[in-house]
Amino acid sequence: MSSLALLLALATPCIASAADYTVQSGSTLGFTSNFQGSSFDGHFGKWTAAISYDATKLATSKFDVTVDLASAKTGDNDRDSALPGADFFNVAKYPQAHFVTTAFHQQGSQVVADGMLTLRGVTKPVSLNVVFKPQGNGGTLDVSGTVKRLDFGVGGGQYADTSVIGPDVKVTAHLVLSSK
């Protein structure tokens, strides 16, 4: 073991870590897109999130989110029946999406979570804006960002026309958190 590796191994236990939180009821994970010029909102009914976060310890903060893609609902029966299909999420082959952070950084007053999103077997970088508001033994965490759907093959083929379905999907989450 090199002296640098030994030094890092010995120093690691001394690094304070971010607070671990559990996600409470009332939390939401949603998305907004555009179909034929009209905006629509949707949400995922089933997902899990492991959250470790401290705005003063961004280096040890981490998000790990797994989404059950079959739980996507938009309130439109045609769209809701199409989303799990092979042209969109292809849940038979790829039932889940997964996002895990790789780093956090400050961009002015905004905290940004950089991570890797895996969707339909494709893994690409995605950055999300983060707003944490502490409250008692927990807080709220609001996250937002944009995903380029075609980067992941969502709505490919005949649905790749961005004049019909917009190229960008805005992802938002509102997490109600309590400390572990």
Side-chain angles (χ1 to χ4, degrees):
M1 181 182 270
S2 74
S3 58
L4 178 59
L6 179 60
L7 180 61
L8 288 173
L10 292 173
T12 301
C14 299
I15 297 173
S17 63
D20 292 333
Y21 293 98
T22 55
V23 178
Q24 303 298 306
S25 62
S27 298
T28 59
L29 176 58
F31 57 92
T32 301
S33 191
N34 188 299
F35 179 70
Q36 294 181 335
S38 297
S39 179
F40 69 89
D41 295 323
H43 71 278
F44 294 99
K46 295 180 184 175
W47 51 275
T48 59
I51 306 293
S52 293
Y53 186 77
D54 186 327
T56 64
K57 299 175 185 133
L58 291 177
T60 60
S61 296
K62 185 172 183 175
F63 299 166
D64 191 329
V65 181
T66 301
V67 180
D68 178 348
L69 294 172
S71 73
K73 300 289 181 234
T74 66
D76 178 273
N77 288 335
D78 290 338
R79 189 170 30 242
D80 290 351
S81 63
L83 285 176
D87 289 328
F88 290 94
F89 291 140
N90 195 3
V91 299
K93 189 170 182 182
Y94 307 105
Q96 297 178 327
H98 183 236
F99 175 80
V100 64
T101 51
T102 54
F104 288 80
H105 68 274
Q106 288 282 152
Q107 192 168 26
S109 62
Q110 178 67 62
V111 174
V112 177
D114 295 318
M116 299 302 283
L117 174 64
T118 302
L119 177 61
R120 289 183 51 106
V122 177
T123 302
K124 297 235 179 212
V126 171
S127 294
L128 303 171
N129 294 327
V130 176
V131 177
F132 180 75
K133 294 179 185 167
Q135 297 173 344
N137 278 346
T140 59
L141 183 68
D142 289 292
V143 180
S144 63
T146 300
V147 173
K148 302 266 185 216
R149 68 178 179 87
L150 293 175
D151 287 355
F152 298 92
V154 175
Q158 68 179 359
Y159 300 104
D161 183 349
T162 57
S163 69
V164 177
I165 301 174
D168 298 334
V169 177
K170 183 175 181 187
V171 177
T172 57
H174 175 74
L175 305 181
V176 179
L177 304 174
S178 65
S179 23
K180 287 186 174 183

